Amino acid sequence: RLRPVLLRLVRELRREIHSLGVTGGQVSLLVAIKYAPGIGVRELAAQERMSPAAISKAVTKLEAMGLVERSASDEDRRRVGLTVSEKGHQVLRSVRTRRTIWLAERLKGLSDAELRKVEAAMAPLEKLLP
């Protein structure tokens, strides 16, 4: 019962961002780059469990959208690192705001007892994460 509920929640949260002109996958990559500034395409591909070619194509699109910047490493000029641009950070803030509003609106519809159950479920659910 948990899996389908989580999948539906993720799907609904992803729908909230379509009007921002980005996909859930693009947001996922932006977040990964945000938390590992300077990460290379190969490292990002390994981390996201995608092929380097697929990541390269996705990053090229993010770069064309002005959301990601590439820069040569100071230590090794052959290595190119990725960072989130200011526009990318703005998109991530908008995503977070929209998703928070969406979730807050739905939580308002729950009773106090239901809210306590959601709160009680948080710790066990967090243990499922790596």
Side-chain angles (χ1 to χ4, degrees):
R1 288 180 43 209
L2 177 63
R3 186 184 51 77
V5 169
L6 292 177
L7 287 173
R8 287 183 57 207
L9 274 172
V10 167
R11 193 176 307 127
E12 291 299 323
L13 287 169
R14 282 189 170 194
R15 283 186 186 141
E16 279 301 298
I17 64 169
H18 287 295
S19 64
L20 297 173
V22 291
T23 67
Q26 289 170 330
V27 169
S28 180
L29 289 178
L30 283 174
V31 170
I33 295 165
K34 174 185 173 184
Y35 288 108
I39 191 169
V41 171
R42 287 195 179 279
E43 294 105 334
L44 184 60
Q47 180 179 306
E48 296 298 307
R49 295 186 176 123
M50 294 175 66
S51 73
I55 285 288
S56 183
K57 183 177 178 181
V59 167
T60 297
K61 185 163 185 172
L62 289 172
E63 187 179 23
M65 295 167 71
L67 305 178
V68 168
E69 297 169 345
R70 296 178 198 240
S71 57
S73 167
D74 291 335
E75 298 86 37
D76 183 353
R77 289 285 190 203
R78 296 170 296 174
R79 188 179 186 289
V80 175
L82 305 170
T83 56
V84 177
S85 69
E86 182 52 40
K87 182 179 177 183
H89 283 290
Q90 289 171 356
V91 166
L92 287 175
R93 284 190 292 275
S94 295
V95 166
R96 184 175 46 242
T97 298
R98 283 179 178 253
R99 286 177 171 175
T100 300
I101 290 169
W102 183 91
L103 195 53
E105 288 297 318
R106 270 114 194 119
L107 290 171
K108 283 181 190 176
L110 299 180
S111 69
D112 287 345
E114 289 169 326
L115 286 171
R116 283 192 297 276
K117 288 178 183 177
V118 170
E119 181 65 33
M122 294 304 299
L125 287 172
E126 287 172 342
K127 288 182 179 180
L128 299 176
L129 298 170

